[in-house]
C-alpha cells in the first residue's frame, strides 16, 4: 500500500480513477457473429429503445457516464445528425478528454493492454490527436506519426502536436504505413484508427504492421467495417500510372491534418483473413455496448495478435 501511494505521488500525471472497464464481446468469424445476432435478436432490438430513452433524457437533464479513457465521470453530449439520429460511434465526445465514443473505446482498450505489459512500446499511426496526447502522457513509451507532404502544413501540425501534448520538445514524425521506417519487432502494441481504408494497397500496410510488432505483439484497428459482408468492397483503385479509378462514387473522410481523404475500401470479414495472411496468428472483431460507459450504437474494432 505504501509503495502504491509513493508511486502515485511520483507520477507526472495523477493516475486515472479506476472506473472499471466495459465488457467486450469477441467474434472470430462472420458465421459466429450472425449466429449470435440471431440468438439475441430481441435483446439487440431492445438496445435501440434504451439508446432512444437515454438520448431523450440527455436532451432535458445531464446524463452521466464513466469515461474509462481518462478515468472519470462525463456528461453525455449529443451531436445529432439530420432527422434526430445520433451517431453513437463518431460523436458522444467526452468533455474532459475530447475523445469520441469510438476513440474512448479504443483508447481504454489500449490502456488496458499497456498496463498488462509494463514498458510496452506503442506505435500509433496518428500524432496530432487527443487520443495520442492522452496515451503519451499516461505511458511514456508511445510513438505517433502522421502522413503529410505539404511543408507549410507540417509546421502547423507540429505546433498543434506540441500544444496538445504540452511537450515543447515534441516534433512531428512522418511515416508511410506501407513503408515504415522502424526495424523489425520495434513495438509490442500498434494501433491504427480510420487509416487503413485510405491505403490503396492495405495488404502491404498490414504486412508492415506485422513486421514492426514483436512476438506476441497486438494490433488494434478501426476502419469502415461491413458486418453483413464477407467481402471487402473496393471503392477506388490506384492504377500503375498513379491515376485513380473510381469504382463507386468517391467518398472523402474528414481528417484533422488535411482537407479530406479518399476512401478506397469498406472492409468485410475477409479483413480477418488478410490479417492472418499478413503474419498475425489470430484476428477478431471486438464489440462493446455499455451505456454506463457512454458506449452505444455499434462500437467495433479489429484486434489481431502475432504468435
Ligand atoms: Zn474522457
Amino acid at each position: 500500500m505504501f509503495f502504491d501511494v509513493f508511486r502515485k505521488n511520483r507520477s507526472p500525471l495523477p493516475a486515472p480513477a479506476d472506473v472499471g472497464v466495459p465488457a467486450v464481446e469477441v467474434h472470430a468469424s462472420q458465421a459466429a457473429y450472425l449466429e449470435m445476432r440471431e440468438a439475441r435478436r430481441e435483446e439487440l432490438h431492445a438496445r435501440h429503445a434504451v439508446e432512444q430513452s437515454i438520448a431523450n433524457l440527455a436532451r432535458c437533464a445531464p446524463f452521466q457516464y464513466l469515461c474509462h479513457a481518462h478515468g472519470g465521470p462525463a456528461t453525455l453530449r449529443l451531436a445529432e445528425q439530420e432527422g434526430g439520429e445520433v451517431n453513437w460511434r463518431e460523436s458522444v465526445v467526452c468533455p474532459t478528454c475530447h475523445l469520441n465514443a469510438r476513440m474512448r473505446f479504443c483508447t481504454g482498450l489500449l490502456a488496458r493492454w499497456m498496463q498488462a505489459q509494463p514498458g510496452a512500446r506503442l506505435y500509433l499511426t496518428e500524432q496530432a490527436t487527443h487520443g495520442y496526447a492522452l496515451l503519451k502522457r499516461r505511458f511514456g513509451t508511445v510513438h505517433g506519426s502522421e502522413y503529410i507532404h505539404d511543408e507549410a502544413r507540417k509546421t502547423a501540425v507540429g505546433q498543434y502536436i506540441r500544444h496538445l501534448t504540452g511537450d515543447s520538445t515534441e516534433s512531428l514524425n512522418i511515416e508511410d504505413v506501407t513503408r515504415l521506417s522502424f526495424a523489425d519487432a520495434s513495438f509490442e502494441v500498434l494501433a491504427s484508427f480510420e487509416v487503413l481504408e485510405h491505403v490503396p494497397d492495405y495488404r502491404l500496410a498490414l504486412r508492415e504492421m506485422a513486421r514492426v510488432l514483436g512476438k506476441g505483439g497486438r494490433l488494434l484497428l478501426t476502419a469502415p467495417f461491413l458486418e453483413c459482408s464477407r467481402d471487402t468492397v473496393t471503392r477506388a483503385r490506384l492504377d500503375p500510372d498513379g491515376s485513380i479509378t473510381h469504382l463507386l462514387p468517391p467518398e472523402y473522410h474528414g481528417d484533422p491534418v488535411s482537407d479530406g481523404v479518399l476512401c478506397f475500401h469498406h472492409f468485410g470479414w475477409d479483413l480477418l483473413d488478410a490479417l492472418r495472411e499478413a503474419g498475425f496468428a489470430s484476428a477478431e472483431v471486438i464489440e462493446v455496448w455499455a451505456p454506463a460507459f457512454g458506449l452505444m450504437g455499434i462500437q467495433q474494432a479489429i484486434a489481431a495478435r502475432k504468435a
Side-chain angles (χ1 to χ4, degrees):
M1 177 59 91
F2 169 79
F3 289 107
D4 283 346
V5 172
F6 182 68
R7 274 197 209 102
K8 266 185 193 162
N9 289 344
R10 283 179 54 112
S11 167
L13 258 192
D18 184 7
V19 298
V21 289
V24 300
E25 294 183 18
V26 177
H27 310 291
S29 71
Q30 186 185 20
Y33 179 75
L34 294 177
E35 201 175 302
M36 177 281 294
R37 285 200 76 88
E38 187 56 33
R40 292 167 55 193
R41 191 202 292 237
E42 283 181 27
E43 178 200 334
L44 299 179
H45 188 70
R47 286 182 178 182
H48 190 63
V50 172
E51 289 167 0
Q52 296 281 28
S53 302
I54 290 174
N56 287 337
L57 184 63
R59 286 181 190 111
C60 46
F63 178 86
Q64 294 253 305
Y65 63 90
L66 295 168
C67 173
H68 70 306
H70 80 263
T75 300
L76 189 76
R77 287 186 183 165
L78 297 174
E80 299 188 31
Q81 297 174 318
E82 242 174 276
E85 279 295 309
V86 177
N87 182 342
W88 292 105
R89 180 175 144 96
E90 297 300 324
S91 66
V92 193
V93 175
C94 169
T96 301
C97 66
H98 311 290
L99 300 183
N100 65 16
R102 173 174 55 79
M103 283 307 297
R104 287 189 283 107
F105 167 38
C106 291
T107 304
L109 201 58
L110 285 177
R112 223 184 324 163
W113 290 357
M114 294 292 283
Q115 281 165 336
Q117 208 177 342
R121 295 160 297 175
L122 164 64
Y123 171 48
L124 277 176
T125 63
E126 60 186 53
Q127 193 182 10
T129 62
H130 286 289
Y132 166 78
L134 187 148
L135 288 163
K136 178 80 197 233
R137 285 200 302 270
R138 191 147 160 212
F139 307 96
T141 50
V142 178
H143 186 87
S145 69
E146 295 286 346
Y147 182 64
I148 306 172
H149 297 298
D150 182 86
E151 288 304 320
R153 209 181 280 270
K154 280 183 189 174
T155 305
V157 172
Q159 285 168 346
Y160 180 58
I161 292 168
R162 287 186 282 282
H163 163 73
L164 278 179
T165 59
D167 179 354
S168 61
T169 64
E170 174 129 12
S171 57
L172 168 69
N173 305 309
I174 303 293
E175 290 289 343
D176 173 348
V177 287
T178 63
R179 233 176 7 175
L180 293 170
S181 67
F182 316 116
D184 296 359
S186 291
F187 301 97
E188 283 70 42
V189 182
L190 197 160
S192 184
F193 305 123
E194 310 297 298
V195 167
L196 202 63
E197 69 270 30
H198 304 294
V199 181
D201 190 352
Y202 69 91
R203 289 170 184 274
L204 182 55
L206 295 180
R207 287 199 293 276
E208 273 297 86
M209 290 176 185
R211 180 183 69 77
V212 301
L213 278 170
K215 198 169 181 296
R218 305 180 83 151
L219 172 70
L220 186 65
L221 282 176
T222 66
F225 185 72
L226 307 165
E227 66 264 15
C228 294
S229 175
R230 214 215 89 76
D231 300 322
T232 290
V233 173
T234 302
R235 304 187 58 88
R237 191 181 67 213
L238 181 65
D239 294 321
D241 66 358
S243 63
I244 288 170
T245 301
H246 295 284
L247 306 170
L248 287 167
E251 180 179 291
Y252 293 91
H253 294 176
D255 174 32
V257 297
S258 74
D259 300 324
V261 192
L262 180 66
C263 174
F264 285 84
H265 323 279
H266 281 185
F267 294 100
W269 286 84
D270 58 358
L271 177 58
L272 302 188
D273 301 329
L275 281 159
R276 286 184 279 262
E277 284 160 21
F280 291 93
S282 65
E284 296 151 336
V285 170
I286 50 174
E287 250 185 359
V288 70
W289 190 82
F293 291 89
L295 299 170
M296 286 167 276
I298 295 179
Q299 301 289 344
Q300 285 168 334
I302 313 286
R305 193 159 195 178
K306 280 184 80 176

